[in-house]
Amino acid sequence: MLRLPKLYAPLKTVLYPRYPRLPPINHLQLRTMATESTGTHKDPVTGEMISKQELKRREKQRAKDGKKAEKAASAQKPEAAASINEDELNPNQYFELRSRHIQKLKETQSPNPYPHKFDVTMSIPNYIEKYGQEGVIESGTKLEGTIEALAGRVHNVRLSGQSLRFYDLHAEGTKVQIMATKQDAKSPDTFAADHEHFRRGDIVGVIGTPSRTKKGELSISPSQMILLAPNLHQLPSGHFGLKDQETRYRKRYLDLILSDDVRRLFITRSKIINYIRRFLDHLGFLEVETPMTSMIAGGATAKPFVTHHNDLDLDLYLRIAPELYLKQLVVGGLDRVYEIGRVFRNEGIDLTHNPEFTICEFYMAYADMYDIMDLTESMVEGLVKYITGGNTKVTYHPEGKESNKVYELEFARPWKRYDMIGTLEEKLDVKFPPGETLHTDEANKFLRELCKKHNVDCSEPRTNARLLDKLVGEFIEPLCISPAFIVGHPQVMSPLAKYHRSRPGLCERFEGFMCGKEFCNAYTELNDPFEQRLRFEEQVRQKEAGDDEAQGIDEVFVDALEHGLPPTGGWGIGIDRLVMFLTNSTNIKEVLLFPAMKPIETQANTAGPVGPGGQV
């Protein structure tokens, strides 16, 4: 027999049990007796079957060894932390260090850094509302017997020795302090080790008791903190925030994490859209959806994006406006319809233009431009009161929030009206040709000379409509600081608007301007199919002359008009630009969650397709 040292004496019994000599028995009896002789308890570490007494002895020894290891680790941790100051690491170094730590947690699952679920009892705003009121919790006390579970993102971490840590927990634009103490912890012995897992930017769950510090700050005293989703990157300083504009636009998620002002701006944007929707719903309008792609780019004067349908082997255009579809619905008997959605125009990117943007268009049977003008004033004035708490005045810094130049916009009705031809004649001290001749070659020569005389630049093709538009942009639009209407457009500028009932050559159209920029456009809609066909044909001639923004002939729309469109008022507003003016933003990128950006050229994206939206 193999001789074992005394240390393994208990093991000897297990390996070589002594059975008494017995008469033959069946196999079931043999298995039962062997189990009883070798022990009835399984060692969870070695897998051996041992006696109850031996198992107790081993567990006691292991617990003793474990405590020694924990003490040694606790004594070494401050020294290890001192050797690596994470604040001094560059972003790449921090990411590598943090990634290794989280990968280790994924392997050990102690704890799992990406749990599936955390039950929250209330939001942080509700927590503040419920427990933040004076008298609910006295300073320096806890609300014993009450347990709440909160979740959010850690923004600041402050250590006060090995037994006390403070965290700022942010969620939904609010924050509450976590006051974590060793004595409140569910596992006091592992308090320091457990809190080594948390960093700024981590999403955590907190289970604890509502409390106040001695200085009176509302807090939660946790019995348990759970890592829900670690942040592998260095979070920029809460004091300095995220200053680089490019990074802010490309990484909007980071911008929202760090800036409550940005968060509030996009909440205001949502409120503006919600108000417009409720305003129209209240007036009996029906919200509808129309196609994003079509075979003809119509409904506005703009250069479209082209895409391709593989199955049909057909080039299609992304819509530049939903207008023609919406008017077909009015023909069909939906007397009041509107749509809020994206449109796409393949034009330049600047402070007030983005290739894709949000508009609202509505069409109202048995209304004209004058009804729509009144409705616009009512809607926008009410909207401003809604977001300002009752005020009709808004301040706007046209050169940025840091500049001293300030506009005070007055939205109270009625708004000022500028007649296009009359105001140009007054400003330029000239007499324009009669309205019914503004589409002729003689008028084109007159407009070219006028632009040249006043140094107004207009690139080719220098059509009558484009020349007029440049003159308006130079001499009338800058007059519109508070919201105002420009009216009396020549028909040559408005292929979808109805002719003016009393001024030959002009049409019934208005544009809304503020801060020198257009924000809405409306017509008494053209419902004469014969006239509409002639307007489309004129647009085709302009397109053949080189105007990429001119429209083609939409035969389906003309056919709809031939079935009868009632007298109708139509209106469209640029949501993004309206949000800019009402939130004191001078760059359209500030009011778009994901604005169009040029891709960053790297080896990864120059060799293949770029990422979503070109934002790499």
Side-chain angles (χ1 to χ4, degrees):
M1 180 182 288
L2 176 67
R3 294 188 177 275
L4 297 173
K6 289 184 179 180
L7 178 65
Y8 296 99
L11 192 60
K12 179 179 176 182
T13 307
V14 178
L15 295 175
Y16 303 102
R18 294 184 179 179
Y19 297 111
R21 294 183 177 274
L22 295 172
I25 57 176
N26 64 46
H27 293 293
L28 176 63
Q29 287 175 320
L30 181 60
R31 282 198 299 269
T32 303
M33 292 181 66
T35 302
E36 289 175 352
S37 301
T38 56
T40 57
H41 293 72
K42 185 177 181 179
D43 188 318
V45 177
T46 65
E48 301 169 289
M49 297 300 297
I50 55 177
S51 67
K52 182 178 180 181
Q53 185 177 359
E54 175 60 12
L55 180 61
K56 278 186 176 181
R57 188 193 70 77
R58 293 187 184 186
E59 286 177 340
K60 188 175 179 181
Q61 184 63 42
R62 286 169 186 156
K64 190 175 179 182
D65 294 341
K67 283 184 179 179
K68 283 182 181 179
E70 283 177 18
K71 272 190 178 181
S74 299
Q76 290 171 4
K77 267 179 185 171
E79 295 174 10
S83 65
I84 302 177
N85 186 345
E86 292 181 353
D87 292 336
E88 295 178 358
L89 299 178
N90 66 40
N92 289 336
Q93 291 171 332
Y94 182 93
F95 178 78
E96 288 297 325
L97 185 68
R98 182 72 165 142
S99 296
R100 283 200 299 270
H101 179 70
I102 299 305
Q103 288 284 12
K104 186 68 175 176
L105 293 184
K106 286 180 65 178
E107 291 171 12
T108 63
Q109 292 289 294
S110 180
N112 175 9
Y114 298 101
H116 287 73
K117 171 72 174 170
F118 178 78
D119 291 312
V120 176
T121 59
M122 65 170 55
S123 66
I124 291 179
N126 289 343
Y127 182 88
I128 294 170
E129 183 181 358
K130 182 174 181 179
Y131 298 111
Q133 298 177 20
E134 191 175 346
V136 176
I137 307 173
E138 297 297 328
S139 297
T141 65
K142 293 186 290 188
L143 210 58
E144 298 290 354
T146 301
I147 299 295
E148 298 290 359
L150 308 179
R153 190 180 294 275
V154 172
H155 274 237
N156 289 308
V157 182
R158 303 179 299 282
L159 279 66
S160 183
Q162 288 295 306
S163 302
L164 177 61
R165 296 197 180 201
F166 295 96
Y167 304 86
D168 286 343
L169 188 67
H170 288 235
E172 300 180 51
T174 58
K175 72 167 185 173
V176 69
Q177 180 175 261
I178 301 171
M179 183 171 62
T181 64
K182 186 174 181 178
Q183 64 187 34
D184 292 325
K186 184 178 180 180
S187 303
D189 293 341
T190 60
F191 176 83
D194 291 343
H195 283 265
E196 280 300 312
H197 301 312
F198 304 119
R199 297 291 186 275
R200 291 183 65 243
D202 289 351
I203 296 175
V204 302
V206 187
I207 302 170
T209 305
S211 61
R212 277 192 188 276
T213 64
K214 291 180 180 179
K215 293 183 178 180
E217 183 171 355
L218 178 66
S219 306
I220 183 169
S221 298
S223 60
Q224 195 174 3
M225 273 182 70
I226 301 167
L227 184 62
L228 303 180
N231 181 13
L232 304 182
H233 296 272
Q234 270 181 332
L235 202 62
S237 165
H239 175 73
F240 294 105
L242 193 61
K243 298 299 183 185
D244 182 65
Q245 266 195 348
E246 284 282 308
T247 304
R248 288 183 54 235
Y249 300 150
R250 293 181 188 277
K251 298 185 177 183
R252 186 65 83 184
Y253 49 88
L254 191 56
D255 195 22
L256 287 165
I257 288 171
L258 294 168
S259 174
D260 286 337
D261 288 339
V262 172
R263 177 190 175 83
R264 281 190 290 269
L265 187 151
F266 286 105
I267 289 173
T268 299
R269 179 191 171 99
S270 180
K271 287 180 177 179
I272 289 170
I273 296 173
N274 182 259
Y275 179 91
I276 292 172
R277 180 174 275 117
R278 287 188 291 112
F279 181 91
L280 294 173
D281 288 345
H282 182 72
L283 292 177
F285 282 81
L286 178 70
E287 185 173 9
V288 297
E289 295 170 298
T290 60
M292 286 285 181
T293 59
S294 62
M295 293 173 62
I296 296 176
T301 303
K303 187 176 180 179
F305 284 95
V306 182
T307 186
H308 187 77
H309 193 296
N310 290 335
D311 192 42
L312 298 177
D313 192 20
L314 184 68
D315 282 345
L316 297 172
Y317 297 104
L318 296 184
R319 71 177 183 185
I320 56 175
E323 176 170 342
L324 302 185
Y325 286 111
L326 293 174
K327 284 194 278 194
Q328 291 176 48
L329 296 177
V330 178
V331 170
L334 301 179
D335 286 350
R336 297 185 178 192
V337 293
Y338 76 95
E339 182 171 7
I340 297 174
R342 291 294 227 198
V343 294
F344 309 85
R345 299 184 182 178
N346 198 354
E347 300 169 345
I349 299 174
D350 59 28
L351 291 177
T352 59
H353 293 86
N354 195 69
E356 58 175 302
F357 56 98
T358 303
I359 64 167
C360 172
E361 285 196 15
F362 73 71
Y363 292 85
M364 185 177 182
Y366 314 111
D368 62 13
M369 66 169 280
Y370 302 103
D371 298 318
I372 304 300
M373 224 182 288
D374 293 339
L375 192 150
T376 302
E377 289 177 332
S378 175
M379 173 195 285
V380 178
E381 181 188 18
L383 168 60
V384 171
K385 287 181 177 179
Y386 171 63
I387 63 174
T388 62
N391 198 353
T392 61
K393 292 182 178 179
V394 172
T395 56
Y396 181 75
H397 294 75
E399 296 175 0
K401 295 177 183 178
E402 307 302 322
S403 73
N404 294 324
K405 188 175 182 180
V406 182
Y407 291 157
E408 185 174 76
L409 312 182
E410 176 56 78
F411 288 85
R413 293 175 283 176
W415 298 353
K416 192 170 179 59
R417 288 155 170 75
Y418 293 97
D419 180 75
M420 182 180 289
I421 301 301
T423 306
L424 285 175
E425 289 180 336
E426 178 187 333
K427 294 293 178 183
L428 302 177
D429 193 24
V430 68
K431 184 67 177 175
F432 270 65
E436 60 268 32
T437 67
L438 285 173
H439 66 285
T440 63
D441 291 340
E442 290 77 10
N444 183 269
K445 182 180 178 182
F446 168 81
L447 293 169
R448 283 174 181 258
E449 291 174 353
L450 199 58
C451 285
K452 184 177 180 181
K453 178 181 176 182
H454 294 279
N455 298 315
V456 176
D457 184 47
C458 179
S459 60
E460 293 292 348
R462 304 180 77 188
T463 61
N464 296 28
R466 285 171 56 81
L467 290 163
L468 273 167
D469 186 58
K470 295 298 182 182
L471 288 168
V472 171
E474 189 72 26
F475 296 104
I476 302 181
E477 292 175 9
L479 303 176
C480 306
I481 302 304
S482 287
F485 296 122
I486 297 177
V487 299
H489 295 65
Q491 287 184 26
V492 70
M493 298 181 72
S494 311
L496 297 169
K498 196 162 188 174
Y499 64 87
H500 201 286
R501 66 194 74 179
S502 61
R503 300 176 67 184
L506 305 186
C507 61
E508 295 199 353
R509 174 188 180 187
F510 72 81
E511 292 178 287
F513 280 80
M514 70 174 90
C515 302
K517 302 291 182 181
E518 179 195 353
F519 71 94
C520 74
N521 189 19
Y523 314 139
T524 300
E525 297 295 337
L526 178 63
N527 62 343
D528 178 346
F530 305 102
E531 180 64 25
Q532 183 64 76
R533 183 175 291 279
L534 292 175
R535 301 274 188 93
F536 277 151
E537 288 172 354
E538 174 59 28
Q539 286 283 299
V540 170
R541 281 192 289 273
Q542 292 184 21
K543 199 175 193 71
E544 290 172 350
D547 189 350
D548 291 336
E549 297 182 349
Q551 303 176 46
I553 299 177
D554 190 328
E555 293 290 354
V556 174
F557 178 66
V558 174
D559 182 77
L561 291 187
E562 291 170 353
H563 285 76
L565 172 69
T568 298
W571 177 90
I573 191 168
I575 298 291
D576 310 303
R577 200 170 286 180
L578 179 63
V579 174
M580 286 177 62
F581 298 136
L582 298 184
T583 59
N584 196 19
S585 303
T586 55
N587 191 334
I588 195 170
K589 289 183 171 67
E590 293 288 349
V591 301
L592 298 172
L593 282 167
F594 300 101
M597 303 287 289
K598 291 181 180 179
I600 300 172
E601 290 190 2
T602 64
Q603 188 175 359
N605 70 46
T606 51
V610 296
Q615 300 187 43
V616 180

Short mmCIF file of all heavy atoms in Angstrom, two decimals, residues 422-460:
data_model
loop_
_atom_site.label_atom_id
_atom_site.label_comp_id
_atom_site.label_asym_id
_atom_site.label_seq_id
_atom_site.Cartn_x
_atom_site.Cartn_y
_atom_site.Cartn_z
N GLY A 422 -42.88 96.81 -54.33
CA GLY A 422 -42.97 98.16 -53.76
C GLY A 422 -41.76 98.51 -52.90
O GLY A 422 -41.23 99.62 -52.98
N THR A 423 -41.30 97.56 -52.07
CA THR A 423 -40.16 97.83 -51.19
C THR A 423 -38.87 97.93 -52.00
O THR A 423 -38.01 98.78 -51.71
CB THR A 423 -40.03 96.71 -50.13
OG1 THR A 423 -41.27 96.56 -49.45
CG2 THR A 423 -38.94 97.04 -49.13
N LEU A 424 -38.71 97.09 -53.03
CA LEU A 424 -37.52 97.20 -53.89
C LEU A 424 -37.49 98.54 -54.63
O LEU A 424 -36.43 99.17 -54.75
CB LEU A 424 -37.48 96.05 -54.90
CG LEU A 424 -37.08 94.66 -54.36
CD1 LEU A 424 -37.20 93.61 -55.46
CD2 LEU A 424 -35.66 94.67 -53.78
N GLU A 425 -38.63 99.00 -55.10
CA GLU A 425 -38.68 100.30 -55.78
C GLU A 425 -38.29 101.42 -54.82
O GLU A 425 -37.55 102.35 -55.20
CB GLU A 425 -40.09 100.54 -56.34
CG GLU A 425 -40.42 99.66 -57.53
CD GLU A 425 -41.83 99.91 -58.07
OE1 GLU A 425 -42.69 100.39 -57.29
OE2 GLU A 425 -42.07 99.62 -59.25
N GLU A 426 -38.74 101.30 -53.58
CA GLU A 426 -38.42 102.33 -52.59
C GLU A 426 -36.94 102.31 -52.23
O GLU A 426 -36.28 103.35 -52.16
CB GLU A 426 -39.27 102.09 -51.33
CG GLU A 426 -39.00 103.06 -50.20
CD GLU A 426 -39.74 102.66 -48.92
OE1 GLU A 426 -40.80 102.00 -49.01
OE2 GLU A 426 -39.25 102.99 -47.83
N LYS A 427 -36.37 101.12 -52.01
CA LYS A 427 -34.98 101.01 -51.59
C LYS A 427 -34.00 101.33 -52.71
O LYS A 427 -32.91 101.87 -52.46
CB LYS A 427 -34.70 99.60 -51.06
CG LYS A 427 -35.44 99.25 -49.77
CD LYS A 427 -34.94 100.09 -48.61
CE LYS A 427 -35.70 99.78 -47.33
NZ LYS A 427 -35.25 100.65 -46.22
N LEU A 428 -34.36 100.98 -53.96
CA LEU A 428 -33.43 101.16 -55.08
C LEU A 428 -33.73 102.41 -55.89
O LEU A 428 -32.99 102.72 -56.84
CB LEU A 428 -33.50 99.92 -56.00
CG LEU A 428 -33.17 98.57 -55.33
CD1 LEU A 428 -33.34 97.43 -56.32
CD2 LEU A 428 -31.78 98.56 -54.74
N ASP A 429 -34.81 103.09 -55.51
CA ASP A 429 -35.19 104.33 -56.20
C ASP A 429 -35.31 104.09 -57.71
O ASP A 429 -34.68 104.75 -58.54
CB ASP A 429 -34.17 105.44 -55.91
CG ASP A 429 -34.68 106.83 -56.34
OD1 ASP A 429 -35.92 106.99 -56.41
OD2 ASP A 429 -33.85 107.71 -56.61
N VAL A 430 -36.15 103.11 -58.05
CA VAL A 430 -36.32 102.74 -59.45
C VAL A 430 -37.76 102.26 -59.65
O VAL A 430 -38.41 101.83 -58.70
CB VAL A 430 -35.31 101.64 -59.85
CG1 VAL A 430 -35.63 100.34 -59.14
CG2 VAL A 430 -35.26 101.44 -61.34
N LYS A 431 -38.25 102.34 -60.88
CA LYS A 431 -39.58 101.85 -61.21
C LYS A 431 -39.45 100.52 -61.93
O LYS A 431 -38.79 100.42 -62.97
CB LYS A 431 -40.31 102.85 -62.10
CG LYS A 431 -41.75 102.47 -62.43
CD LYS A 431 -42.63 102.51 -61.18
CE LYS A 431 -44.10 102.17 -61.55
NZ LYS A 431 -44.95 102.09 -60.36
N PHE A 432 -40.09 99.47 -61.38
CA PHE A 432 -40.03 98.15 -61.99
C PHE A 432 -41.00 98.05 -63.17
O PHE A 432 -42.01 98.76 -63.21
CB PHE A 432 -40.39 97.07 -60.96
CG PHE A 432 -39.21 96.54 -60.20
CD1 PHE A 432 -38.47 97.36 -59.34
CD2 PHE A 432 -38.81 95.22 -60.35
CE1 PHE A 432 -37.39 96.87 -58.65
CE2 PHE A 432 -37.72 94.72 -59.66
CZ PHE A 432 -37.00 95.55 -58.82
N PRO A 433 -40.72 97.17 -64.11
CA PRO A 433 -41.66 96.91 -65.21
C PRO A 433 -42.98 96.38 -64.64
O PRO A 433 -43.02 95.87 -63.52
CB PRO A 433 -40.96 95.86 -66.06
CG PRO A 433 -39.53 95.89 -65.66
CD PRO A 433 -39.50 96.34 -64.24
N PRO A 434 -44.08 96.49 -65.39
CA PRO A 434 -45.36 95.95 -64.92
C PRO A 434 -45.24 94.47 -64.56
O PRO A 434 -44.46 93.73 -65.17
CB PRO A 434 -46.29 96.16 -66.12
CG PRO A 434 -45.66 97.26 -66.90
CD PRO A 434 -44.18 97.12 -66.71
N GLY A 435 -46.02 94.04 -63.58
CA GLY A 435 -45.93 92.67 -63.08
C GLY A 435 -46.12 91.62 -64.14
O GLY A 435 -45.44 90.58 -64.14
N GLU A 436 -47.04 91.89 -65.13
CA GLU A 436 -47.32 90.88 -66.14
C GLU A 436 -46.19 90.73 -67.15
O GLU A 436 -46.24 89.83 -68.00
CB GLU A 436 -48.63 91.19 -66.86
CG GLU A 436 -48.66 92.52 -67.59
CD GLU A 436 -49.22 93.64 -66.73
OE1 GLU A 436 -49.03 93.60 -65.49
OE2 GLU A 436 -49.86 94.55 -67.29
N THR A 437 -45.15 91.60 -67.06
CA THR A 437 -44.01 91.49 -68.00
C THR A 437 -42.73 91.02 -67.31
O THR A 437 -41.67 90.97 -67.94
CB THR A 437 -43.74 92.85 -68.67
OG1 THR A 437 -43.28 93.79 -67.68
CG2 THR A 437 -44.99 93.40 -69.34
N LEU A 438 -42.81 90.66 -66.04
CA LEU A 438 -41.60 90.31 -65.29
C LEU A 438 -40.99 88.98 -65.73
O LEU A 438 -39.88 88.63 -65.30
CB LEU A 438 -41.90 90.26 -63.78
CG LEU A 438 -42.05 91.63 -63.10
CD1 LEU A 438 -42.50 91.46 -61.65
CD2 LEU A 438 -40.73 92.40 -63.15
N HIS A 439 -41.66 88.25 -66.59
CA HIS A 439 -41.11 86.98 -67.08
C HIS A 439 -40.41 87.14 -68.42
O HIS A 439 -39.82 86.18 -68.93
CB HIS A 439 -42.24 85.96 -67.23
CG HIS A 439 -43.23 86.32 -68.30
ND1 HIS A 439 -44.16 87.32 -68.14
CD2 HIS A 439 -43.40 85.83 -69.57
CE1 HIS A 439 -44.89 87.43 -69.24
NE2 HIS A 439 -44.44 86.53 -70.12
N THR A 440 -40.41 88.34 -69.01
CA THR A 440 -39.90 88.55 -70.37
C THR A 440 -38.39 88.76 -70.40
O THR A 440 -37.75 89.00 -69.37
CB THR A 440 -40.59 89.76 -71.00
OG1 THR A 440 -40.25 90.94 -70.24
CG2 THR A 440 -42.10 89.59 -71.02
N ASP A 441 -37.82 88.72 -71.62
CA ASP A 441 -36.39 88.97 -71.80
C ASP A 441 -36.04 90.41 -71.45
O ASP A 441 -34.95 90.69 -70.94
CB ASP A 441 -35.99 88.69 -73.25
CG ASP A 441 -36.06 87.20 -73.59
OD1 ASP A 441 -36.03 86.38 -72.63
OD2 ASP A 441 -36.14 86.86 -74.78
N GLU A 442 -36.97 91.34 -71.73
CA GLU A 442 -36.74 92.76 -71.39
C GLU A 442 -36.61 92.91 -69.88
O GLU A 442 -35.75 93.65 -69.39
CB GLU A 442 -37.88 93.63 -71.92
CG GLU A 442 -37.93 93.77 -73.42
CD GLU A 442 -38.53 92.53 -74.10
OE1 GLU A 442 -39.08 91.64 -73.37
OE2 GLU A 442 -38.41 92.43 -75.34
N ALA A 443 -37.43 92.20 -69.13
CA ALA A 443 -37.36 92.26 -67.66
C ALA A 443 -36.04 91.65 -67.18
O ALA A 443 -35.42 92.14 -66.22
CB ALA A 443 -38.54 91.54 -67.05
N ASN A 444 -35.59 90.60 -67.86
CA ASN A 444 -34.32 89.97 -67.48
C ASN A 444 -33.17 90.95 -67.64
O ASN A 444 -32.28 91.05 -66.77
CB ASN A 444 -34.08 88.72 -68.34
CG ASN A 444 -32.82 87.98 -67.94
OD1 ASN A 444 -31.74 88.24 -68.46
ND2 ASN A 444 -32.95 87.06 -66.99
N LYS A 445 -33.18 91.71 -68.76
CA LYS A 445 -32.14 92.71 -69.00
C LYS A 445 -32.18 93.80 -67.92
O LYS A 445 -31.14 94.20 -67.39
CB LYS A 445 -32.33 93.33 -70.38
CG LYS A 445 -31.27 94.35 -70.75
CD LYS A 445 -31.52 94.92 -72.14
CE LYS A 445 -30.48 96.00 -72.48
NZ LYS A 445 -30.73 96.60 -73.82
N PHE A 446 -33.40 94.23 -67.56
CA PHE A 446 -33.57 95.25 -66.52
C PHE A 446 -33.01 94.75 -65.17
O PHE A 446 -32.29 95.48 -64.47
CB PHE A 446 -35.06 95.59 -66.38
CG PHE A 446 -35.41 96.39 -65.17
CD1 PHE A 446 -35.23 97.78 -65.15
CD2 PHE A 446 -35.92 95.79 -64.02
CE1 PHE A 446 -35.55 98.52 -64.02
CE2 PHE A 446 -36.24 96.52 -62.89
CZ PHE A 446 -36.06 97.90 -62.90
N LEU A 447 -33.32 93.51 -64.82
CA LEU A 447 -32.87 92.96 -63.54
C LEU A 447 -31.35 92.75 -63.51
O LEU A 447 -30.71 92.98 -62.47
CB LEU A 447 -33.59 91.64 -63.26
CG LEU A 447 -35.10 91.75 -63.02
CD1 LEU A 447 -35.76 90.37 -63.01
CD2 LEU A 447 -35.39 92.47 -61.70
N ARG A 448 -30.78 92.32 -64.63
CA ARG A 448 -29.32 92.15 -64.70
C ARG A 448 -28.62 93.48 -64.46
O ARG A 448 -27.64 93.56 -63.70
CB ARG A 448 -28.91 91.59 -66.06
CG ARG A 448 -29.15 90.10 -66.24
CD ARG A 448 -28.86 89.66 -67.67
NE ARG A 448 -29.10 88.23 -67.86
CZ ARG A 448 -28.17 87.30 -67.90
NH1 ARG A 448 -26.90 87.65 -67.75
NH2 ARG A 448 -28.48 86.04 -68.09
N GLU A 449 -29.09 94.52 -65.10
CA GLU A 449 -28.48 95.85 -64.95
C GLU A 449 -28.65 96.37 -63.54
O GLU A 449 -27.74 97.00 -62.98
CB GLU A 449 -29.11 96.82 -65.95
CG GLU A 449 -28.73 96.52 -67.40
CD GLU A 449 -29.46 97.41 -68.38
OE1 GLU A 449 -30.36 98.16 -67.95
OE2 GLU A 449 -29.15 97.33 -69.61
N LEU A 450 -29.80 96.08 -62.93
CA LEU A 450 -30.05 96.53 -61.55
C LEU A 450 -29.09 95.83 -60.58
O LEU A 450 -28.52 96.48 -59.68
CB LEU A 450 -31.50 96.24 -61.19
CG LEU A 450 -32.11 97.01 -60.00
CD1 LEU A 450 -32.05 98.51 -60.24
CD2 LEU A 450 -33.55 96.57 -59.78
N CYS A 451 -28.89 94.54 -60.76
CA CYS A 451 -27.96 93.80 -59.90
C CYS A 451 -26.53 94.31 -60.09
O CYS A 451 -25.78 94.46 -59.10
CB CYS A 451 -28.03 92.30 -60.21
SG CYS A 451 -29.51 91.48 -59.59
N LYS A 452 -26.15 94.57 -61.32
CA LYS A 452 -24.81 95.07 -61.59
C LYS A 452 -24.59 96.43 -60.96
O LYS A 452 -23.55 96.71 -60.35
CB LYS A 452 -24.59 95.15 -63.10
CG LYS A 452 -23.19 95.57 -63.50
CD LYS A 452 -23.00 95.56 -65.01
CE LYS A 452 -21.59 95.99 -65.39
NZ LYS A 452 -21.41 95.99 -66.87
N LYS A 453 -25.59 97.32 -61.07
CA LYS A 453 -25.50 98.67 -60.51
C LYS A 453 -25.31 98.65 -59.00
O LYS A 453 -24.56 99.45 -58.44
CB LYS A 453 -26.76 99.44 -60.88
CG LYS A 453 -26.81 100.86 -60.32
CD LYS A 453 -28.10 101.56 -60.71
CE LYS A 453 -28.20 102.95 -60.07
NZ LYS A 453 -29.48 103.62 -60.42
N HIS A 454 -25.97 97.70 -58.33
CA HIS A 454 -25.93 97.67 -56.85
C HIS A 454 -25.02 96.56 -56.32
O HIS A 454 -25.09 96.21 -55.14
CB HIS A 454 -27.34 97.51 -56.29
CG HIS A 454 -28.23 98.68 -56.57
ND1 HIS A 454 -28.21 99.83 -55.81
CD2 HIS A 454 -29.15 98.90 -57.56
CE1 HIS A 454 -29.09 100.70 -56.28
NE2 HIS A 454 -29.67 100.16 -57.35
N ASN A 455 -24.14 96.03 -57.19
CA ASN A 455 -23.15 95.02 -56.79
C ASN A 455 -23.77 93.80 -56.13
O ASN A 455 -23.28 93.28 -55.12
CB ASN A 455 -22.10 95.65 -55.85
CG ASN A 455 -21.33 96.76 -56.52
OD1 ASN A 455 -20.88 96.63 -57.66
ND2 ASN A 455 -21.17 97.89 -55.82
N VAL A 456 -24.88 93.38 -56.70
CA VAL A 456 -25.54 92.16 -56.22
C VAL A 456 -25.11 91.00 -57.11
O VAL A 456 -25.40 91.01 -58.31
CB VAL A 456 -27.08 92.31 -56.23
CG1 VAL A 456 -27.74 91.00 -55.80
CG2 VAL A 456 -27.50 93.45 -55.30
N ASP A 457 -24.43 90.03 -56.54
CA ASP A 457 -23.89 88.92 -57.32
C ASP A 457 -24.95 87.83 -57.51
O ASP A 457 -25.64 87.45 -56.57
CB ASP A 457 -22.67 88.33 -56.60
CG ASP A 457 -22.01 87.23 -57.42
OD1 ASP A 457 -21.79 87.45 -58.62
OD2 ASP A 457 -21.74 86.16 -56.84
N CYS A 458 -25.06 87.35 -58.72
CA CYS A 458 -25.97 86.23 -59.03
C CYS A 458 -25.26 85.33 -60.03
O CYS A 458 -24.94 85.74 -61.14
CB CYS A 458 -27.29 86.75 -59.60
SG CYS A 458 -28.45 85.42 -60.02
N SER A 459 -25.02 84.10 -59.63
CA SER A 459 -24.34 83.15 -60.51
C SER A 459 -25.30 82.66 -61.59
O SER A 459 -26.51 82.79 -61.48
CB SER A 459 -23.80 81.98 -59.69
OG SER A 459 -24.86 81.31 -59.03
N GLU A 460 -24.74 82.09 -62.63
CA GLU A 460 -25.56 81.52 -63.69
C GLU A 460 -26.28 80.26 -63.19
O GLU A 460 -25.76 79.56 -62.32
CB GLU A 460 -24.67 81.16 -64.89
CG GLU A 460 -24.05 82.36 -65.58
CD GLU A 460 -25.08 83.23 -66.32
OE1 GLU A 460 -26.25 82.77 -66.48
OE2 GLU A 460 -24.72 84.34 -66.72
#
